[in-house]
């Protein structure tokens, strides 16, 4: 099998049976590796990609991932997108994952890692609700298994292209997030999620960048604005009319342009920007909406999520 570059896309050449010496070019399949915490939604994420037409392999030993990609390349385009679920059920083979990733990189195979994250409390509730032990708890407690798994997956989480925190997501919301990232016909250069949140409910664990809007006056203390959210024109105008608000928006947009350029150079396709205020209802929501609009105008495909709005 020969590999060659053409028109900027990686191709695999395989000899046809009709005329010796003649070659037919087929692209290397897209590859997504799904991993993360047990109970965080790996199966749901994999099912979502399967519904979108991906060829999904669950619990494939990592050493076989390069072989799977090679077989896909030989399929004459019938297997164009492959998703592989890797988890601690195959922990005997898990140490081989790093070697397999290096092998894929040496062959110039583009791969993306999706990591499903969740809080300890949420994971414990899920395991208890189905009355199943954690696969790594042994003779200990569920929390012991969770701690062991976090330690095992820490390096992989750091290498992930997309981290999704499912602590407060139901199945439908997780599917919506996967659809937003993978349903498009063409993969954009960079996709952004702008998430508003309330600091009193905790930082989003899947955030790449966090900004704090608590330097602006809180509309909560304005009686006529208190019932509304940052989606209302009244609250938005109030927030953006405060000293420093528009200046922050302008300069942070410029900073994000630099960050986005760097992410593209490093091959990072996804970024989550968390915009926080006290309760996640007024200031963070208004600023997140404006920031998302700026990103869209810069050509960045953007999804807006208001994590804590309506939670009070």
């Amino acid at each position: 099998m020969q590999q060659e570059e053409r028109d900027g896309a990686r191709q695999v050449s395989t000899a046809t049976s009709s005329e010796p010496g003649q070659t037919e070019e087929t692209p290397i399949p897209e590859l997504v590796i799904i991993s993360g915490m047990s109970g965080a939604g790996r199966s749901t994420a994999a099912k979502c990609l399967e519904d979108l037409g991906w060829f999904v392999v669950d619990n494939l030993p990592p050493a076989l991932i390069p072989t799977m990609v090679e077989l896909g390349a030989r399929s004459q385009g019938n297997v164009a997108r492959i998703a592989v679920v890797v988890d601690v059920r195959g922990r005997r083979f898990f140490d081989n994952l790093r070697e397999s990733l290096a092998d894929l990189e040496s062959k110039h195979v583009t791969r993306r890692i999706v990591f499903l994250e969740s809080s300890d409390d949420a994971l414990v509730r899920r395991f208890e609700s189905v009355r199943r032990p954690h696969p790594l708890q042994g003779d200990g407690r569920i929390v012991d298994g969770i701690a062991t798994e976090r330690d095992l997956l820490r390096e992989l989480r750091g290498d992930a292209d997309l981290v999704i925190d499912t602590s407060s997501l139901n199945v439908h919301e997780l599917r919506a997030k996967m659809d937003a990232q993978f349903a498009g016909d063409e993969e954009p250069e960079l996709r952004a999620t702008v998430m508003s949140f309330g600091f009193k409910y905790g930082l989003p664990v899947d955030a790449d960048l966090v900004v704090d809007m608590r330097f602006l006056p809180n509309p909560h203390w304005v009686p006529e604005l208190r019932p509304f959210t940052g989606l209302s024109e009244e609250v938005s105008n109030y927030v953006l009319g405060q000293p420093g608000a528009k200046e922050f928006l302008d300069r942070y947009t410029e900073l994000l342009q630099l960050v986005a350029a760097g992410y593209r150079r490093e091959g990072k396709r996804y970024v989550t920007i968390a915009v926080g205020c006290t309760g996640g209802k007024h200031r963070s929501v208004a600023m997140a909406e404006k920031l998302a609009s700026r990103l869209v105008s810069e050509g960045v495909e953007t999804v807006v999520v208001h994590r804590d709005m309506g939670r009070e």
Side-chain angles (χ1 to χ4, degrees):
M1 181 182 296
Q2 294 179 324
Q3 296 183 348
E4 60 182 0
E5 298 274 348
R6 175 166 295 189
D7 296 334
R10 191 70 182 176
Q11 304 287 331
V12 173
S13 298
T14 56
T16 63
S17 57
S18 57
E19 297 183 24
Q22 183 178 353
T23 62
E24 180 179 342
E25 294 181 346
T26 57
I28 290 181
E30 294 181 56
L31 175 64
V32 168
I33 297 173
I34 301 173
S35 190
M37 300 296 295
S38 298
R42 292 187 308 249
S43 297
T44 299
K47 178 61 177 175
C48 181
L49 290 185
E50 187 174 42
D51 291 343
L52 292 173
W54 291 67
F55 185 86
V56 178
V57 184
D58 191 11
N59 201 26
L60 182 72
L64 297 181
I65 294 176
T67 302
M68 189 71 236
V69 173
E70 183 177 345
L71 291 173
R74 293 178 178 178
S75 70
Q76 304 298 315
N78 292 321
V79 181
R81 298 182 296 178
I82 298 173
V84 176
V85 181
V86 177
D87 56 56
V88 293
R89 286 178 295 170
R91 53 188 177 276
R92 290 180 304 166
F93 309 100
F94 201 80
D95 291 340
N96 296 330
L97 180 59
R98 179 61 57 189
E99 181 178 344
S100 293
L101 293 178
D103 186 18
L104 293 171
E105 184 175 356
S106 69
K107 295 176 180 177
H108 304 282
V109 175
T110 300
R111 54 80 178 156
R112 289 169 286 169
I113 299 175
V114 177
F115 192 96
L116 282 300
E117 174 67 276
S118 194
S119 68
D120 287 3
D121 289 344
L123 293 175
V124 170
R125 287 196 303 271
R126 291 168 189 173
F127 277 106
E128 289 181 342
S129 68
V130 296
R131 300 181 183 277
R132 293 177 57 190
H134 188 280
L136 294 184
Q137 76 180 73
D139 296 329
R141 302 173 301 161
I142 292 175
V143 292
D144 298 324
I146 292 172
T148 300
E149 187 176 36
R150 284 199 191 282
D151 185 62
L152 180 64
L153 296 177
R154 182 172 292 110
E155 186 175 356
L156 181 62
R157 187 190 189 283
D159 289 340
D161 299 283
L162 175 64
V163 177
I164 301 178
D165 177 23
T166 67
S167 301
S168 58
L169 300 181
N170 59 35
V171 172
H172 304 293
E173 290 168 334
L174 174 55
R175 290 184 65 91
K177 276 182 170 284
M178 292 295 294
D179 285 341
Q181 300 295 346
F182 293 99
D185 294 331
E186 297 182 0
E187 186 70 20
E189 288 189 352
L190 183 67
R191 284 179 172 171
T193 297
V194 180
M195 177 188 299
S196 70
F197 73 97
F199 278 97
K200 70 179 182 179
Y201 300 115
L203 288 169
V205 298
D206 53 346
D208 297 296
L209 303 169
V210 178
V211 292
D212 187 353
M213 294 297 102
R214 291 177 296 183
F215 73 92
L216 298 173
N218 192 348
H220 175 81
W221 303 115
V222 181
E224 59 269 26
L225 297 179
R226 183 179 301 176
F228 300 102
T229 71
L231 296 178
S232 70
E233 185 177 357
E234 296 89 344
V235 172
S236 181
N237 290 339
Y238 176 85
V239 172
L240 272 294
Q242 299 303 314
K246 290 185 178 179
E247 291 82 357
F248 168 83
L249 184 61
D250 291 340
R251 295 179 186 179
Y252 196 68
T253 300
E254 293 177 359
L255 177 62
L256 288 179
Q257 291 172 349
L258 295 175
V259 173
Y263 278 164
R264 292 186 180 102
R265 288 193 298 270
E266 293 300 314
K268 184 175 176 65
R269 297 169 182 256
Y270 312 99
V271 58
T272 298
I273 305 162
V275 184
C277 64
T278 302
K281 177 180 179 179
H282 296 114
R283 294 166 290 182
S284 61
V285 172
M287 191 61 73
E289 289 286 333
K290 294 296 183 182
L291 185 59
S293 296
R294 292 287 186 93
L295 291 175
V296 170
S297 68
E298 295 291 335
V300 178
E301 187 169 338
T302 306
V303 175
V304 184
V305 177
H306 300 302
R307 190 190 75 175
D308 298 324
M309 190 174 66
R311 191 171 179 178
E312 76 285 348

